[in-house]
Amino acid sequence: MTERYELQCRECRTSVGNRPSSVCEECFSPLEVTYDYDDIRTCLTREAIAQRAPGIWRYRELLPVADEYEATLPIGFTPLVPAPQLARHFRSRRLFLKNDCFCFPTLSFKDRVVAMAMAQARRFGFEVVGCASTGNLANAVAAQAARAGLRACVLIPADLESAKVVNTQVYGARLVRVAGNYDQVNRLCSQIADAYHWGFVNVNLRAYYAEGSKTVGYEIAEQLGWRLPDNVVVPMAGGSLITKIKKAFDELVKLGLVEPKPVKIFGAQATGCSPISTAVKAGQSDIAPQKPSTVARSLAIGNPADGHYAIQAITGSGGWAEDVSDKEVVDAMQLLAATEGVFAETAGGVTVGVARKLFAQGRISPDETTVLCITGNGLKTVEALQGRLELPEPIPAKLAAFQEHIADEAEAVAV
Ligand SMILES: *Cc1c(COP(=O)(O)O)cnc(C)c1O
Ligand SMILES: [Zn+2]
């Protein structure tokens, strides 16, 4: 097997090879995947990438998979689309949406990370894969485990949206609902991972899993014509996605695939669970854990594993973090749908709501290229819109009834 990657401690830089572990035994800091960039520079060119199928595997030298690994799912390469009508609301002139509402196969960016964990589950010979999830991860693990012929055991907080529960069970995954919040579920999963020989995608396989998020960054750069944006706004739960988008941009510069350019990284949270944005706003470099209470359940992690690194990525780039109330989240979901025809889940409402604030505060300048990361599909969180959209009474199947019904529509002109 030809492997061009291995785990290294983020702090003491000890290299530990490849193994199902996410903490350094020397200093207990998180492990991270590193690559031989000098080697990759010689083979990975824009032209080579352009000849490959659209999807995350076109950047495979920069992902933790062996050369021989046969990937079967066309994950990622989601649309990067201009958002001119939303831009007008923000008085922005160059606004884009990176739209992972359409990520294959389970309609959120978590399909990208799970693909990495699955490759490693195979490599380490795990027959059961598990995860602690706020919903989307559960969906992605259940689907990809079914596809890979592995058993899945998924632990979730008991109060998740029904679509996320159904979208896990339908694949035949074992679903364990825990009476507690995500942070309690996560602690339980660490104990299970110690007691059972299982691959937990965000516990003992976390270092590998997290690398999948880099593909969002690679795609944004490639889809902008191999250019980096000026600003990117990213929703944060555990804080992994935002740090990996930064890592992706840095790698592309290091490999000479894009011109060096400062990119401001902006983090978005819901006020009801905002440990990272609170720390950024207070100028602190570490997290004070919170007890989550927000409609944005996919982001409800009160003690984010990568919080410290997310803060570094944000402040080091000259960016900022903000948070929005549940009402602002749902307002923003409706604004995004009504302006751009994109129905995002609550996390998308968080991103758009925060972006609106950042433009209003003058932290993002209107003439710069700004990308909003829309990470999951609105069909998964329809509960959030309850009480917002009135279900009209049925009318008789008669033209006169219809005319009466729409009498208030000024534009409805009879022919
Ligand atoms: C998990 C998730 C995030 C944030 O991911 P982290 O890497 O944990 O910060 C953002 N959006 C959605 C829809 C998610 O499911
Ligand atoms: Zn260490």
Side-chain angles (χ1 to χ4, degrees), residues 4-5 33-37 40 61-64 211 214:
R4 302 162 189 271
Y5 60 91
V33 181
T34 61
Y35 305 82
D36 181 350
Y37 293 107
I40 295 172
E61 286 86 349
L62 291 165
L63 299 173
E211 289 291 289
K214 293 192 305 181

Side-chain angles (χ1 to χ4, degrees), residues 109-110 136 235-241 298-299 345 347 375:
F109 94 94
K110 291 294 198 305
N136 285 315
M236 305 183 291
S240 177
L241 173 63
S298 58
L299 305 181
E345 72 152 77
T375 47

Side-chain angles (χ1 to χ4, degrees), residues 9-14 24-29:
C9 175
R10 284 193 81 137
E11 297 301 333
C12 73
R13 296 284 156 197
T14 307
C24 172
E25 283 169 8
E26 304 295 321
C27 73
F28 306 106
S29 300

Side-chain angles (χ1 to χ4, degrees), residues 175-199:
L175 182 78
V176 181
R177 292 171 71 219
V178 179
N181 62 33
Y182 173 84
D183 300 286
Q184 295 168 303
V185 175
N186 192 46
R187 219 166 304 130
L188 173 61
C189 282
S190 300
Q191 293 169 334
I192 300 171
D194 287 339
Y196 295 74
H197 184 69
W198 290 1

